[in-house]
Amino acid sequence: GEYVLLNSVRDRLKDRNMRARPNVTLLFINPKNPYHWMTIYGIIVEYIDEDDEENGHLATQNIDDLAESYLGERPYPLRDAKGEIRVLYRVQPTRIQTFGQP
């Protein structure tokens, strides 16, 4: 795809930091070979809050998709019982750097 999608909760430290400084760096390390890694540098081009009437369902759908992939459950079961607003971040990669053999 064109974007890397991230998901967090509105007003947590991660959310506040990404809204204040939309340039992000993502590092992925191969757990079987730490000398094989990929770094994606990018900028957040869109924030989609779950309570947005038009596109908020995309944030909900994204966290539910992640829960299904990683936890085998749908919908996302670990929501804060006091309530939370999920945020979907669309990151436009500006540079990708890799090291090592896959």
Side-chain angles (χ1 to χ4, degrees):
E2 186 175 342
Y3 301 104
V4 175
L5 302 178
L6 303 175
N7 198 305
S8 188
V9 175
R10 185 166 62 197
D11 293 327
R12 284 193 181 159
L13 182 60
K14 179 179 182 176
D15 176 62
R16 293 192 310 264
N17 283 337
M18 289 197 300
R19 288 179 193 264
R21 292 173 295 283
N23 291 305
V24 296
T25 302
L26 307 168
L27 174 62
F28 303 93
I29 300 173
N30 182 341
K32 295 179 181 175
N33 179 1
Y35 296 103
H36 176 231
W37 52 263
M38 175 174 63
T39 302
I40 299 174
Y41 301 90
I43 186 163
I44 299 170
V45 295
E46 186 175 16
Y47 305 86
I48 302 173
D49 293 315
E50 196 171 33
D51 59 357
D52 177 276
E53 290 182 22
E54 186 176 335
N55 293 316
H57 67 283
L58 297 173
T60 306
Q61 180 180 340
N62 177 258
I63 194 63
D64 289 344
D65 289 347
L66 290 170
E68 188 171 22
S69 292
Y70 292 102
L71 303 174
E73 297 184 44
R74 188 179 195 94
Y76 176 59
L78 303 175
R79 284 188 174 267
D80 187 338
K82 299 174 190 169
E84 63 183 28
I85 305 294
R86 302 298 306 192
V87 181
L88 178 64
Y89 310 88
R90 287 192 179 172
V91 177
Q92 175 69 58
T94 56
R95 190 174 99 195
I96 298 174
Q97 183 175 2
T98 63
F99 181 82
Q101 295 294 320

